[in-house]
Amino acid sequence: MRKIMLAGRTGAGKTTLTQALKGERFTYHKTQYVNFEGALIDTPGEYVETKRLGYALALYSYEADVVGLLLAADEPFSLYPPCVTGMVNREVIGIVTKVDAASGNPQQAAEWLRIAGCKKIFYVSSYTGEGIKEIFDYLKEDGDVLPWELNQKTTKNHKKSQKIIK
């Protein structure tokens, strides 16, 4: 699986999305440092919110195959300047989080991510699971077997073996 670095302001849903992608129970904790966990890199919101720390994101992006810029659907503005994706030489995707928020405007958040330079946009709710499979499918490489595919393969193989036995 391609490695992804998640970046966004505090409260954008980076850690919650990380927990959803890993299939973990949601527990809120403030991300204090850059966390490298398998194919996921979770970054503190302050790195996007502070200009000097923002440069560190460009450096950390060298550890990833894909950079995911997160913007919550209920955010009133975007911190991302136009064409900011040009700061890194990695593919940058946009991820609109909290699409299930009653006060959210996912289309506005997606437009802000496009202005920042994101060509591919995902719409996600970590709580309902909406969009999680699409992110996995996008990060998947040839030969990767995702958990739900493993179940399907096992079921298909089991049915084939039953046919052979009968």
Side-chain angles (χ1 to χ4, degrees):
M1 176 147 323
R2 297 188 296 164
K3 187 179 278 192
I4 185 169
M5 180 181 87
L6 302 176
R9 74 173 198 85
T10 303
K14 299 174 301 297
T15 300
T16 305
L17 179 57
T18 297
Q19 291 171 350
L21 289 167
K22 291 169 54 180
E24 295 178 349
R25 201 180 106 227
F26 299 129
T27 55
Y28 178 77
H29 65 278
K30 172 71 183 100
T31 303
Q32 298 291 331
Y33 51 88
V34 177
N35 294 312
F36 294 83
E37 297 179 39
L40 298 168
I41 303 172
D42 185 11
T43 62
E46 290 81 5
Y47 280 58
V48 168
E49 299 166 356
T50 308
K51 183 178 180 179
R52 289 186 181 177
L53 292 175
Y55 295 120
L57 285 177
L59 293 174
Y60 281 117
S61 73
Y62 288 108
E63 298 295 326
D65 300 306
V66 177
V67 174
L69 291 185
L70 276 70
L71 192 62
D74 61 357
E75 291 188 39
F77 58 88
S78 172
L79 289 177
Y80 303 121
C83 303
V84 72
T85 60
M87 285 186 65
V88 296
N89 67 354
R90 298 290 187 260
E91 177 184 4
V92 182
I93 61 172
I95 303 173
V96 178
T97 58
K98 303 180 186 181
V99 296
D100 54 339
S103 63
N105 185 345
Q107 296 310 318
Q108 178 65 68
E111 184 57 29
W112 285 332
L113 288 168
R114 282 186 197 91
I115 291 169
C118 299
K119 305 276 189 265
K120 179 84 176 150
I121 308 287
F122 292 90
Y123 297 86
V124 174
S125 168
S126 296
Y127 290 101
T128 67
E130 180 182 342
I132 299 295
K133 181 183 181 309
E134 288 77 8
I135 292 176
F136 270 120
D137 288 342
Y138 190 73
L139 297 174
K140 183 179 171 184
E141 294 181 298
D142 291 339
D144 288 345
V145 179
L146 300 175
W148 51 87
E149 294 172 334
L150 183 62
N151 246 356
Q152 290 172 352
K153 283 186 177 185
T154 304
T155 303
K156 286 178 186 176
N157 289 338
H158 180 69
K159 287 179 183 177
K160 283 181 184 177
S161 65
Q162 283 182 330
K163 288 179 185 179
I164 294 170
I165 293 172
K166 291 181 180 180

